[in-house]
């Protein structure tokens, strides 16, 4: 977004992924990842944002079984079709 929405890019890069994600004493990156994936799926954001955050969750130590279980649990609250979409993404990411 740099060069088009400079302030948005700054807030995204410096505040969200800088200041907020670095607060590891308050919440681990692993837990932040699970919360973020859950929020995105529940909101129906089933695009590259969710894909990226599932990849980030994997990098932050969430294993395939944990991701599968989290998305299965979410299916009952966020909706079955959303869970199917998220599980397909997770299968692709964890299958790598």
């Amino acid at each position: 977004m740099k060069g088009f929405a400079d302030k948005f890019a700054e807030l995204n890069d410096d505040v969200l992924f800088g200041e907020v994600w670095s607060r590891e004493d308050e919440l681990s990156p692993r837990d932040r990842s699970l919360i973020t994936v859950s929020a995105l799926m529940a909101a129906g954001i089933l695009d590259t944002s969710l894909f990226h955050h599932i990849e980030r969750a994997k990098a932050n130590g969430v294993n395939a079984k944990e991701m599968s279980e989290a998305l299965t649990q979410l299916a009952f609250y966020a909706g079955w079709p959303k869970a199917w979409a998220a599980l397909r993404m997770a299968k692709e990411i964890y299958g790598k």
Side-chain angles (χ1 to χ4, degrees):
M1 285 290 158
K2 278 237 189 268
F4 179 72
D6 291 334
K7 188 61 177 180
F8 180 87
E10 176 190 336
L11 292 169
N12 184 73
D13 298 347
D14 299 342
V15 177
L16 175 57
F17 288 105
E19 294 174 30
V20 175
W21 277 83
S22 68
R23 297 174 51 192
E24 293 181 22
D25 290 340
E26 289 77 10
L27 200 60
S28 72
R30 180 190 179 284
D31 292 346
R32 282 186 202 282
S33 285
L34 281 170
I35 291 166
T36 303
V37 167
S38 298
L40 291 172
M41 189 192 116
I45 301 171
L46 307 171
D47 60 9
T48 57
S49 296
L50 179 58
F51 193 91
H52 166 77
H53 279 286
I54 294 172
E55 286 180 322
R56 186 180 202 108
K58 181 181 178 186
N60 286 334
V62 177
N63 66 41
K65 186 174 181 178
E66 292 168 325
M67 181 60 69
S68 173
E69 186 62 25
L71 297 175
T72 299
Q73 175 74 19
L74 283 164
F76 290 93
Y77 298 95
W80 219 252
K82 292 175 188 173
W84 269 115
L87 283 163
R88 279 193 298 274
M89 287 181 196
K91 183 179 177 186
E92 181 179 343
I93 290 163
Y94 284 92
K96 292 180 180 177

